[in-house]
Amino acid sequence: MTDRLGALAAALLGTDADEGRRIATELTRLSAAFPRPVRLGLGVAGGGLDLAARLLSGKSLARLDPATREAVCTALAARPGGRALLDAVKMPLLLAAAAGGAASAAPADAAPAAASPPAPEPELTCVAVDDWPRRSRADAVVIGSGAGGAMAARELARAGLSVVVLEEGRRFTAAEFRDRPAADRFVDLYRDGGATFALGTPPVLLPQGRGVGGTTLVNSGTCYRTPERVLRRWRDVHGLALADPARFGPLLDEVERTLRVAPQPTDVLGRNGELVLAGAAALGWKAAPMRRNAPGCAGSCQCVVGCPRNAKNGVHLNALPQACAAGAVVVTGARVERIVTARGRAVGVRFRGRLIAAPLVVAAAGALETPRLLSRSGLGGHPGIGRGLAVHPAVSLAGRFGEPVIAWRGVLQSVGVEQLHDDGVLIEATAGPPGLVSFVPPGIGRELHAELASADRLATVGAMIADQPSGRVSARTVRYRLADSDADRLRLAIVAIGELLFAAGAEAVLTGLAHRPHAHSVGELRDAVATADTRQLHLAAFHPTGSARMGADPQRAPVDPDGRLRGVHGVWVADASTLPGCPEVNPQVSIMAVALAAGRAAAAEAGR
């Protein structure tokens, strides 16, 4: 398989045979973390291209000269489904190509000389699962240590309950983030090595963090408050009294204090963000540096693979240490098998052959894993469990400039453009380490090689749209149907990003659309978008919500307005799955505010 992948890499990325073999070796190593269907898909892609080479030339792909290999790729791309197949293979190949090179290491030299030293690791009471007893007791068990679980655990521990937090992943340190290549960190820090997808037309990449701190380890650090129009909708449509702005506001205030949220200083913003600000100013659009939980940010652009300076305040640096200071314990490597109930009440949790007896259980495993946990625990009977998933789908474009941009130097997600936010489109200047961005460069062979060689002149911008809750989580798959109105929003977003980049001085825009990969004017971009099939869109999503929603109506909402799972006593839910719909902004602050309220309500009930 490595020979086939090596030939595929050389053909698709326009490299020589030796470099192709190196990339194949790296991909084989990294792909051990991918789910089996993805690994099989890579093998099928290599085999399919090899078969095409034999049919067209009579030789295997590995035996062809570079020009003929590229001709085979071009011929395959012209066939129905061929382009989609090659595009799907690009991202793992680009990840492997970056692995092991200097560009994939944490660029500590991007930090200003005057930056303060990395923040120390906080005190956390962590116990590896193998060191945890087979039988134990606690007042409360929290499943998941991310944004929701950490906040709920803190409130329960501060109320005097004995709390155990169960985390499937392990604890990571900033020293690891400084010393290990970005590609290696990527496959370790994400479930399925970052290769989680929602099946649909088009499919949607859904990377989910896994480790102590959950996705807050690997998010961008962007901290929007929940918009008041969203809160009013949650209150008026879903009967969520908690969402009354007057009641929710103090919760948001507490979360912001916990995370130390502040506007991003511009001294480390980076050229990527500066160009977006310039484009917005030229258009008269509303834009500003993000509010972030990163008071010590030095612009190393590593947020998505762990901050090498502990500058981004994920919950592993605040809410979890605060919970541990109040007596909580975090058990790592603890994948939960089921919540145990008896006679309609929670009695404990089973994981890795162990049982913790507890009368109170908080499910906080995230919008994809919490419905699965509830279902395998026999608690998924409500028709709303696993349904109503919104994902906040995103598209990315790149603008080519005449001077170097070096987008990976600076803040990863630096500037927000809210001009179209009322229309459900939020634009954000977002870059990333080489090989780890969601934008897929166009072309194959020498064309793609040339694009990559001039990547330092690209500015990258993304946009998320407020989507309909049209996804579903089942035991083995996530399915998502992009609504027609959401496809229209995505087209609006693509054109808006193009306007922004051209206004900033871009010479051309890389559209992300296979049939028209380049545009040299807004008019060309509009034409490309107007003729694009929705299936051509490269979609990623980072904010799944709503798969176990809160609400007043017991027929529609499996979780009550305080966070209790309906139909059983002692089981609470405190994560993104409870949000009644897409929050229209990066959701970390919203999730933590809801979990803060749920944790307090659960603690109060336990104390009665």
Side-chain angles (χ1 to χ4, degrees):
M1 178 177 169
T2 301
D3 288 342
R4 284 182 176 178
L5 283 178
L8 174 63
L12 197 58
L13 303 186
T15 67
D16 58 35
D18 288 343
E19 179 66 5
R21 282 190 289 270
R22 184 195 73 79
I23 293 170
T25 299
E26 288 291 341
L27 181 56
T28 301
R29 180 177 65 85
L30 295 172
S31 66
F34 296 169
R36 187 167 180 268
V38 174
R39 295 197 304 273
L40 290 174
L42 290 172
V44 168
L49 195 54
D50 195 63
L51 176 61
R54 292 178 185 276
L55 291 174
L56 293 171
S57 69
K59 296 180 181 179
S60 69
L61 195 65
R63 293 179 60 198
L64 297 178
D65 62 85
T68 309
R69 280 201 305 263
E70 185 170 332
V72 169
C73 285
T74 302
L76 181 60
R79 295 179 179 273
R83 173 71 67 171
L85 173 67
L86 294 178
D87 278 352
V89 178
K90 274 185 188 178
M91 290 188 72
L93 284 176
L94 291 171
L95 175 67
S104 69
D109 60 337
S116 59
E121 299 295 334
E123 290 190 19
L124 279 175
T125 310
C126 288
V127 179
V129 67
D130 291 340
D131 297 326
W132 191 259
R134 295 281 174 179
R135 297 288 185 272
S136 59
R137 291 182 174 275
D139 295 328
V141 175
V142 178
I143 304 168
S145 66
M151 212 62 175
R154 188 189 79 172
E155 296 308 300
L156 292 167
R158 284 180 169 178
L161 279 68
S162 60
V163 177
V164 177
V165 180
L166 299 178
E167 168 55 51
E168 181 181 1
R170 67 178 180 88
R171 185 183 184 184
F172 294 87
T173 66
E176 288 183 81
F177 300 153
R178 290 192 294 275
D179 296 341
R180 299 182 65 211
D184 288 52
R185 288 182 271 150
F186 181 81
V187 297
D188 280 355
L189 281 161
Y190 289 84
R191 179 180 298 280
D192 294 333
T196 302
F197 281 88
L199 302 178
T201 306
V204 182
L205 182 66
L206 268 175
Q208 301 292 297
R210 181 173 62 180
V212 174
T215 299
T216 74
L217 271 170
V218 293
N219 68 14
S220 62
T222 297
C223 289
Y224 274 103
R225 293 172 72 93
T226 322
E228 287 203 4
R229 65 174 176 272
V230 172
L231 292 176
R232 288 193 294 270
R233 183 166 64 248
W234 291 354
R235 179 194 64 192
D236 299 341
V237 176
H238 298 278
L240 199 61
L242 169 68
D244 187 277
R247 183 176 171 188
F248 208 72
L251 297 172
L252 295 174
D253 294 341
E254 169 60 19
V255 171
E256 289 189 326
R257 284 191 294 270
T258 299
L259 296 177
R260 298 176 63 194
V261 175
Q264 174 60 50
T266 57
D267 59 333
V268 296
L269 202 63
R271 188 64 179 147
N272 200 65
E274 291 170 354
L275 286 169
V276 171
L277 285 175
L283 294 169
W285 288 3
K286 181 182 178 183
M290 296 288 196
R291 288 175 59 80
R292 305 179 69 235
N293 59 326
C297 180
S300 59
C301 203
Q302 297 283 299
C303 298
V304 294
V305 284
C307 179
R309 301 175 48 78
N310 266 348
K312 185 186 67 177
N313 270 329
V315 295
H316 61 297
L317 300 179
N318 42 71
L320 277 178
Q322 291 161 7
C324 290
V329 177
V330 181
V331 181
T332 60
R335 178 169 175 79
V336 174
E337 296 152 15
R338 63 185 292 119
I339 299 168
V340 183
T341 59
R343 294 183 292 277
R345 305 180 70 90
V347 296
V349 174
R350 287 193 182 278
F351 63 102
R352 295 285 299 275
R354 290 158 173 79
L355 172 68
I356 299 180
L360 193 163
V361 177
V362 179
L368 302 188
E369 293 303 314
T370 284
R372 291 168 170 164
L373 168 64
L374 296 176
S375 293
R376 65 177 178 262
S377 302
L379 301 174
H382 191 285
I385 297 291
R387 297 179 181 269
L389 180 74
V391 300
H392 219 180
V395 290
S396 296
L397 279 73
R400 186 175 301 287
F401 287 80
E403 73 281 352
V405 177
I406 314 179
W408 52 88
R409 291 185 184 170
V411 176
L412 184 141
Q413 196 166 83
S414 54
V415 170
V417 182
E418 298 186 33
Q419 185 69 20
L420 299 178
H421 205 187
D422 289 346
D423 297 316
V425 177
L426 179 59
I427 298 173
E428 296 175 342
T430 305
L436 292 173
V437 294
S438 57
F439 176 76
V440 181
I444 54 178
R446 286 170 293 179
E447 180 187 357
L448 177 56
H449 189 78
E451 293 283 5
L452 296 173
S454 58
D456 64 337
R457 293 176 181 262
L458 295 180
T460 55
V461 183
M464 301 178 295
I465 61 137
D467 61 325
Q468 300 297 315
S470 53
R472 182 177 181 182
V473 181
S474 65
R476 295 186 180 276
T477 62
V478 180
R479 295 187 179 274
Y480 181 78
R481 182 187 61 81
L482 185 68
D484 290 343
S485 59
D486 292 337
D488 291 340
R489 276 201 186 98
L490 287 167
R491 292 187 172 91
L492 173 66
I494 291 170
V495 173
I497 293 173
E499 289 184 83
L500 192 69
L501 288 167
F502 281 121
E507 297 172 347
V509 165
L510 280 59
T511 67
L513 303 172
H515 75 302
R516 297 277 292 277
H518 300 89
H520 295 86
S521 68
V522 175
E524 283 188 21
L525 181 60
R526 288 186 191 278
D527 289 344
V529 170
T531 56
D533 191 305
T534 302
R535 291 172 293 184
Q536 292 186 6
L537 299 177
H538 293 283
L539 299 186
F542 310 96
H543 308 148
T545 57
S547 53
R549 66 178 59 181
M550 285 174 134
D553 184 348
Q555 302 304 312
R556 297 174 57 201
V559 176
D560 80 7
D562 289 322
R564 301 176 190 84
L565 181 67
R566 288 189 161 102
V568 61
H569 183 78
V571 178
W572 297 67
V573 185
D575 61 19
S577 66
T578 65
L579 302 189
C582 179
E584 301 186 10
V585 293
N586 304 59
Q588 177 178 340
V589 172
S590 303
I591 295 166
M592 291 179 69
V594 169
L596 174 62
R600 288 176 175 173
E605 184 170 285
R608 289 200 289 268

